[in-house]
Amino acid sequence: SSAAVVWADTLASSNLLKGCFGAASIAGALCSSFALFSVADTIGRLGEMFVATIFFLFGIILIMASGMSSLSTSIGGGLACVILGKFSFGIGAGFATHAAPTYMAELAPARLRGYMIAGKEAMMSVGIVLGNGIGFAYRGVDL
């Protein structure tokens, strides 16, 4: 009887909530892309990485809070925290994805620049495949 189970049935029964749950991080990334037009040159690449870290941490805090007994006993509270946490992660991902390649290119020696940027992108793809593989492997396991 974990806290997540309290709102898991609600999520499973609502297509709208499933859509919000699945799209929250993408929506966050989209919002951050609009914000980046105006702030990217002002705060610089390192500033963007710092902002990304703040949004990642905020997302972690929200997702962890979704399991707190005071929030998870109310169906909406725990689920709202998870969706907002994923949205915050998406904002962080948007900032990090924008800043990281340029920041790496500015810092890397010229002879390694291409390898480092390509390696970063390759490792992101490997991480996505591993994450999906782990999710597939544990799809029937009740955590």
Side-chain angles (χ1 to χ4, degrees):
S1 67
S2 72
V5 176
V6 172
W7 52 262
D9 292 335
T10 303
L11 182 64
S13 66
S14 170
N15 288 333
L16 176 65
L17 287 176
K18 283 183 203 173
C20 290
F21 186 82
S25 58
I26 307 248
L30 178 67
C31 290
S32 70
S33 68
F34 291 121
L36 283 165
F37 283 119
S38 60
V39 301
D41 290 333
T42 306
I43 64 175
R45 305 298 171 237
L46 189 58
E48 286 182 55
M49 298 298 284
F50 180 75
V51 169
T53 303
I54 297 299
F55 277 104
F56 284 136
L57 287 174
F58 186 62
I60 289 169
I61 291 167
L62 284 171
I63 290 172
M64 287 175 58
S66 73
M68 291 172 43
S69 60
S70 60
L71 284 174
S72 62
T73 53
S74 70
I75 290 172
L79 185 56
C81 277
V82 171
I83 291 173
L84 288 172
K86 288 181 64 153
F87 184 79
S88 181
F89 263 67
I91 293 172
F95 271 87
T97 304
H98 180 263
T102 308
Y103 187 64
M104 288 173 59
E106 290 170 350
L107 295 180
R111 61 184 174 78
L112 298 176
R113 195 168 293 146
Y115 292 112
M116 291 186 73
I117 304 289
K120 174 202 150 307
E121 297 300 324
M123 290 299 106
M124 284 180 61
S125 298
V126 167
I128 290 168
V129 169
L130 286 174
N132 284 323
I134 291 168
F136 181 76
Y138 286 95
R139 71 189 176 279
V141 177
D142 186 20
L143 303 174

